Every structure is written in C-alpha cells, then in structure tokens.
Amino acid sequence: MGQLITFGELGTGTVHGALHKRHGQDCEDWSGGVALPEVGAYAFTVADGHGDSACTRSALGSKLAVDLALRWLSRLAKGIANPTSEGQATWRQELLEKRGDAPLLRNPARAIVRDWKLAVRADFNENPPEEDELDVM
C-alpha cells in the first residue's frame, strides 16, 4: 500500500517496494505533510517501518512517528513566525526552555521519540496483542 499526499506542487509519498511485494509484506513506511499557510511554510516527514514480521504494528509505529513529528514541526514553525501571539509563550520560551526532559530546539528528536514511546505504550495498553501477534513475537 503506497500513499501520496499533495500540497499544490509539493507532496510526500511512499512506495511499496518490489522485494516487499515479492515476499508478501505490506508497506510499513509512512509519510505525511502539513501546510501551514499562516506562517508560509510546509512541514514534511517520513518514517521507515521495521520490515520485520515480528513487528506486527510497524505501520502504526511509522504513522505515529510521522504524526508526532508533524505536530512538533508545526509548533516550531508557528512559534518562530508568531513569537508573541496571544496565549502563547514567546518563541524563545517555546523553543529554548526545557519541555519535560527535552527542549524542542536543542533536541527535537529526543522529544519526538519520547512522545512516540508514550503513544506506542498507550496503544499497546488500549489494544493488547492478539494471539496471532503473540505467535510471531
């Protein structure tokens, strides 16, 4: 299963590779983008799935990674474009000060991974593994 998301002349996409097709594996990759017209920007991300039959929720993990990265990138772009918008912290506070254990600008990857782990754990707790998933683990 491939996907294509377009924003005018720009877009993102994934392709179901020939080797995956030959071995009957699904495309576990995910990509996404968001238009931010209020700040004159676009944000795009891509996540590569595990490609391991024991990782039965790899596609979901990729999608969560893309969604969370887009959320962080959107906040970053909006914080820079509107440093003092009403109800928001200044861009310096938003981007440079610590947020939990990871400041956004100094280490966005750590913050995204932290949020991804929390989202994966929440999904696992809400949707415990079924027998067929446990059989391949």
Side-chain angles (χ1 to χ4, degrees):
M1 148 182 55
Q3 63 170 329
L4 177 64
I5 302 168
T6 60
F7 301 94
E9 295 180 25
L10 303 172
T12 71
T14 58
V15 176
H16 193 173
L19 189 61
H20 278 70
K21 286 181 183 177
R22 204 168 331 160
H23 293 290
Q25 296 173 315
D26 292 333
C27 179
E28 299 169 340
D29 306 337
W30 203 265
S31 64
V34 62
L36 303 165
E38 67 274 22
V39 297
Y42 296 95
F44 299 96
T45 64
V46 63
D48 189 22
H50 285 295
D52 184 336
S53 59
C55 300
T56 58
R57 298 182 185 189
S58 180
L60 174 63
S62 298
K63 182 181 183 323
L64 289 171
V66 166
D67 292 347
L68 292 165
L70 287 173
R71 187 176 309 151
W72 278 102
L73 290 171
S74 296
R75 286 183 60 211
L76 176 65
K78 290 174 183 176
I80 291 171
N82 296 319
T84 59
S85 63
E86 190 174 319
Q88 258 189 337
T90 66
W91 72 270
R92 181 169 292 284
Q93 290 168 327
E94 182 71 14
L95 303 177
L96 295 177
E97 291 182 2
K98 282 194 125 195
R99 288 257 178 231
D101 66 348
L104 176 58
L105 189 61
R106 291 191 189 138
N107 202 339
R110 180 181 289 172
I112 293 166
V113 169
R114 179 196 63 219
D115 288 354
W116 178 82
K117 286 179 179 179
L118 291 171
V120 167
R121 191 172 299 127
D123 178 73
F124 186 85
N125 290 333
E126 291 170 17
N127 304 294
E130 296 182 9
E131 281 299 316
D132 61 327
E133 291 176 297
L134 293 172
D135 289 343
V136 296
M137 292 181 157

